[in-house]
Amino acid sequence: MTTQQLTDQIKKKKSFLCIGLDVDLNKIPKHLLDTEDPIFEFNKAIIDATHHLCVAYKPNTAFYEAYGIKGWKALEKTIQYLNQNHPDIFTIADAKRGDIGNTSTMYAKAFFEDLAFDSVTIAPYMGKDSVEPFLAFKNKHTILLALTSNTGAFDFQTKSIDGKELYKQVLETSKTYQNSENLMYVVGATKAEYFSDIRKIIPNSFLLVPGVGAQGGNLQDVCKYGMSDNVGLLINSSRGIIYASNKEDFAQAAANNAKALQQQMEEILNM
Amino acid sequence: MTTQQLTDQIKKKKSFLCIGLDVDLNKIPKHLLDTEDPIFEFNKAIIDATHHLCVAYKPNTAFYEAYGIKGWKALEKTIQYLNQNHPDIFTIADAKRGDIGNTSTMYAKAFFEDLAFDSVTIAPYMGKDSVEPFLAFKNKHTILLALTSNTGAFDFQTKSIDGKELYKQVLETSKTYQNSENLMYVVGATKAEYFSDIRKIIPNSFLLVPGVGAQGGNLQDVCKYGMSDNVGLLINSSRGIIYASNKEDFAQAAANNAKALQQQMEEILNM
C-alpha cells in the first residue's frame, strides 16, 4: 500500500484509528474458547464489527507467539482474512524486530512476503544495516521505534546523546537511510509535548501513536502538536476497544468504543 | 539452567563455543530438501555431530519465521530435540525482542515456557519495563544487546550519551534492574579493544560474542580482554560452522570446524 492510499482512506472514513489486535485468551469472552481457533474467531468478529471505523489493524506478534504454532496459525489466518476482505486497510505487524543485515532480510521476508503485512515495527538500536533491508521493499513500510509510551522510554530514549536526545538522533539518522521515504515512526501519546519538536525533524512522516486511552494519552493534544498536512497520524487503541466487554456483546461493545474515537477524529479533521 | 551449570559444562568440555543454527534453505545440502522437514533434519545432523564440542546452540528466530508455520515447527522440534537429548547444553533463542511490560511478558512465556529455551536475546531500546518481565523467570537468562558486531552499531551504540557511550549506559543502567543477576550481554568480537572497558562495568557477567570468523573478529583478542574468572564468554559461530560444506559430508565438515575452534579454546583455557 502507498502512503497516498493510506491518506485517501483516512479522508474517506474520517478516521485515523488503528485497532491493536493483542489477543489474550484470558481476556476474551469464554464462549469463544470452545471454538477451534478462539484467537482468530475473536479477531474476525472484531474486524467485522469495526472495519468501517478504522484505517489500520495492528496485531502484536508477542500475543500470537505466546501460543506457539497455534498462535502463528491464528496470526496467519487473521492477516489473510484482512487482505482478502479489506485490502484497503493498512496492516501493521507490531513485531519490534531488528538484527544484522542478512537476518533483517529474513524478518522482512517473513512479514512482507510470507505474511503479506503492509508494515512492521522495528527497533533502531542496531542501526542502519539492521533497518535498510526492510526499507528495500517497495510499497511496504518500516515503522521505527522513536519515543515509546512506556516508562522505560526514559532509560535511554530521552537521554542526551552528543547534545541531542537519543530519539531525535534516531529520527535524524534514519532520514539518511536508503529508501527512507518508506519510514514511519512510533511516538507514544503519553508525551504530547514532544510532538512539536518531532515534527520539526520529520514534518510529513506518518507516526504510529500508542498510548491513547489505557496508558493515559490525550487525543486532542496529540493532534494539536502532531498532525501534519496529510494527517500523518495513526492513533492506536488496543485494550480500550477489543476488551470493551468480555460477554457475548464484545464485538458490538468494541464497535461502540471505536465509533466514539472515530467521531472525535472526525471532529478534529473537520476543524 | 544456572550460570554455575554453564560454567561447569565449559570446564568439562574445555569449550565455550556456541553454534548458531541459522538455517537458510538456499544454503543447506540439496539432498535434505527431499525430506519432510529439511530445517530440522539439518539441525539434528549438526547437533549430533557437534554437541560434544560446544556448550550452547543459538537458533536465530528470523530464519525460522521466514518459513512461516513450517519454520516454527522446525524451531519447536529443534529445541525439543536439544532439551531431550542434551539437557546439559545451554540454549539461546536469538530473537532480539523487547516491548512494553505486558507484551514482554507474553514474549517471555513464548520463549521460556512454550519453547523452553534457557535464554533469549533482548534489545534494550525500550528500557527497564521491557526487560524486567524476562528477568523475572528463575534460572532463565536475558541476553541484552550491548555492543553488536555490525556496522550499524556505530549509528547509536557508540555515541556519547551524557558523556558516556550508549552501550556503556545500557550496561550500567541494566545492573539496576530487578533480578539483574539473570542478565548476560551481546558484545561483538569485531571490537575486541572495547572488552576491557566493558569488564570494568560488568566483571563477571556472561558475554555472548558474535563476529568471530565470518565477520572478522579474533578469538585470542576477545579472550585476552574479555575473559572473566569464570570464563564468562560464549563465542558464537554460525555460518563458519554450519555451512562448512554443502555436500553430503556437511555434518562432518561442521564438526571439523567446530573442533578447530574448540581446540583453540582448550589452549586458551589451559594457559
Side-chain angles (χ1 to χ4, degrees):
Chain A
M1 185 179 295
T2 64
T3 311
Q4 186 57 50
Q5 286 171 316
L6 175 58
T7 307
D8 291 347
Q9 184 78 192
I10 288 171
K11 288 178 182 165
K12 188 176 143 198
K13 287 181 173 170
K14 298 185 191 304
S15 170
F16 40 99
L17 177 62
C18 172
I19 297 181
L21 299 173
D22 303 349
V23 187
D24 183 338
L25 288 180
N26 296 315
K27 289 186 183 163
I28 70 174
K30 291 213 165 49
H31 72 277
L32 290 177
L33 299 177
D34 300 330
T35 61
E36 199 193 316
D37 187 343
I39 300 174
F40 174 68
E41 291 304 329
F42 180 80
N43 282 345
K44 184 175 172 299
I46 296 283
I47 292 165
D48 289 348
T50 60
H51 64 88
H52 57 297
L53 301 166
C54 67
V55 293
Y57 286 103
K58 179 178 75 65
N60 187 309
T61 54
F63 288 79
Y64 300 83
E65 289 178 33
Y67 300 108
I69 302 287
K70 197 174 65 177
W72 268 93
K73 275 191 187 153
L75 180 62
E76 215 172 74
K77 280 165 75 179
T78 301
I79 183 68
Q80 279 167 2
Y81 187 78
L82 280 168
N83 283 337
Q84 277 163 19
N85 296 281
H86 305 288
D88 50 338
I89 289 186
F90 190 69
T91 54
I92 303 167
D94 193 3
K96 301 188 175 69
R97 300 297 198 264
D99 208 309
I100 60 170
N102 69 323
T103 311
S104 270
T105 299
M106 297 303 268
Y107 278 129
K109 282 183 186 168
F111 290 108
F112 292 154
E113 290 182 351
D114 190 56
L115 291 170
F117 275 95
D118 291 315
S119 66
V120 61
T121 58
I122 302 297
Y125 191 73
M126 293 180 71
K128 180 183 170 106
D129 59 302
S130 73
V131 180
E132 287 188 340
F134 293 95
L135 296 175
F137 285 73
K138 207 181 165 189
N139 293 336
K140 298 287 185 179
H141 305 267
T142 304
I143 310 180
L144 206 59
L145 302 185
L147 186 60
T148 56
S149 59
N150 62 323
T151 55
F154 298 106
D155 271 11
F156 310 113
Q157 296 168 26
T158 56
K159 289 277 166 66
S160 188
I161 182 167
D162 294 334
K164 189 168 282 181
E165 292 97 322
L166 175 58
Y167 77 92
K168 289 185 187 172
Q169 288 271 2
V170 167
L171 295 175
E172 289 192 348
T173 303
S174 68
K175 284 169 70 179
T176 68
Y177 294 168
Q178 198 165 14
N179 301 311
S180 64
E181 68 278 9
N182 294 332
L183 278 169
M184 299 180 174
Y185 299 91
V186 173
V187 179
T190 45
K191 303 171 185 72
E193 68 275 22
Y194 290 82
F195 279 86
S196 320
D197 280 358
I198 288 169
R199 279 301 181 201
K200 285 178 195 150
I201 305 172
I202 42 159
N204 298 312
S205 304
F206 260 90
L207 308 181
L208 171 63
V209 184
V212 164
Q215 294 177 64
N218 178 288
L219 178 64
Q220 281 71 23
D221 286 349
V222 170
C223 293
K224 182 176 170 189
Y225 298 110
M227 198 170 269
S228 70
D229 293 342
N230 65 344
V231 186
L233 293 173
L234 289 171
I235 303 288
N236 183 74
S237 176
S238 303
R239 287 168 278 178
I241 290 179
I242 67 173
Y243 299 132
S245 159
N246 66 355
K247 303 207 174 62
E248 299 224 349
D249 67 343
F250 72 100
Q252 187 52 52
N256 293 344
N257 284 12
K259 179 80 183 167
L261 272 170
Q262 182 273 325
Q263 285 181 328
Q264 287 181 56
M265 291 175 183
E266 186 167 344
E267 274 176 39
I268 292 167
L269 289 172
N270 287 338
M271 277 198 302
Chain B
M1 184 180 296
T2 66
T3 312
Q4 186 58 49
Q5 286 170 316
L6 175 57
T7 307
D8 291 347
Q9 184 76 194
I10 289 171
K11 289 179 179 162
K12 189 176 144 199
K13 288 182 172 169
K14 299 185 191 305
S15 171
F16 41 100
L17 177 62
C18 172
I19 297 180
L21 299 172
D22 303 349
V23 187
D24 183 337
L25 288 180
N26 295 315
K27 289 187 183 162
I28 70 173
K30 291 212 167 49
H31 72 277
L32 290 177
L33 298 178
D34 300 329
T35 62
E36 198 193 318
D37 187 343
I39 301 175
F40 174 67
E41 291 303 328
F42 179 81
N43 282 345
K44 183 174 173 298
I46 296 283
I47 293 164
D48 289 349
T50 59
H51 64 87
H52 56 296
L53 300 167
C54 67
V55 294
Y57 287 103
K58 178 178 77 62
N60 186 308
T61 53
F63 288 78
Y64 300 83
E65 289 178 34
Y67 300 109
I69 302 287
K70 197 175 67 177
W72 268 92
K73 275 191 186 152
L75 179 64
E76 214 172 77
K77 280 165 77 178
T78 301
I79 183 69
Q80 281 169 0
Y81 186 78
L82 280 168
N83 283 338
Q84 276 163 19
N85 296 282
H86 305 288
D88 50 339
I89 288 186
F90 190 68
T91 54
I92 303 168
D94 193 2
K96 302 189 174 69
R97 298 298 198 263
D99 209 310
I100 60 170
N102 70 323
T103 311
S104 271
T105 299
M106 297 303 269
Y107 278 129
K109 283 183 184 167
F111 290 107
F112 292 155
E113 290 182 351
D114 189 57
L115 292 170
F117 275 94
D118 291 315
S119 66
V120 63
T121 57
I122 302 297
Y125 192 73
M126 293 181 69
K128 181 182 170 108
D129 58 304
S130 72
V131 180
E132 286 187 340
F134 294 94
L135 295 174
F137 285 73
K138 206 180 167 190
N139 293 335
K140 298 286 184 180
H141 305 268
T142 304
I143 311 180
L144 206 58
L145 302 186
L147 187 60
T148 55
S149 58
N150 62 323
T151 53
F154 298 105
D155 270 11
F156 310 114
Q157 297 168 25
T158 57
K159 289 278 165 67
S160 186
I161 183 167
D162 295 334
K164 189 168 281 180
E165 292 97 321
L166 176 57
Y167 78 91
K168 289 186 185 169
Q169 288 272 2
V170 167
L171 295 173
E172 289 192 348
T173 303
S174 68
K175 284 170 71 178
T176 68
Y177 294 167
Q178 199 165 14
N179 301 311
S180 63
E181 68 277 10
N182 293 333
L183 279 169
M184 299 181 174
Y185 300 91
V186 172
V187 179
T190 44
K191 304 170 185 71
E193 67 276 22
Y194 290 81
F195 279 87
S196 319
D197 279 358
I198 288 169
R199 278 302 182 202
K200 284 178 195 152
I201 305 171
I202 42 160
N204 298 311
S205 304
F206 260 90
L207 308 181
L208 171 62
V209 184
V212 164
Q215 294 176 64
N218 178 290
L219 178 64
Q220 281 71 26
D221 285 350
V222 169
C223 292
K224 181 176 170 188
Y225 298 109
M227 198 170 266
S228 71
D229 292 344
N230 66 344
V231 186
L233 292 174
L234 289 172
I235 305 287
N236 182 74
S237 176
S238 303
R239 288 168 278 177
I241 291 178
I242 66 173
Y243 299 132
S245 159
N246 66 354
K247 303 208 174 63
E248 298 224 349
D249 68 343
F250 73 99
Q252 188 53 51
N256 293 346
N257 284 12
K259 180 78 182 171
L261 271 170
Q262 181 274 323
Q263 284 182 328
Q264 288 182 54
M265 291 176 181
E266 185 166 345
E267 274 176 39
I268 291 167
L269 290 171
N270 285 339
M271 278 197 302

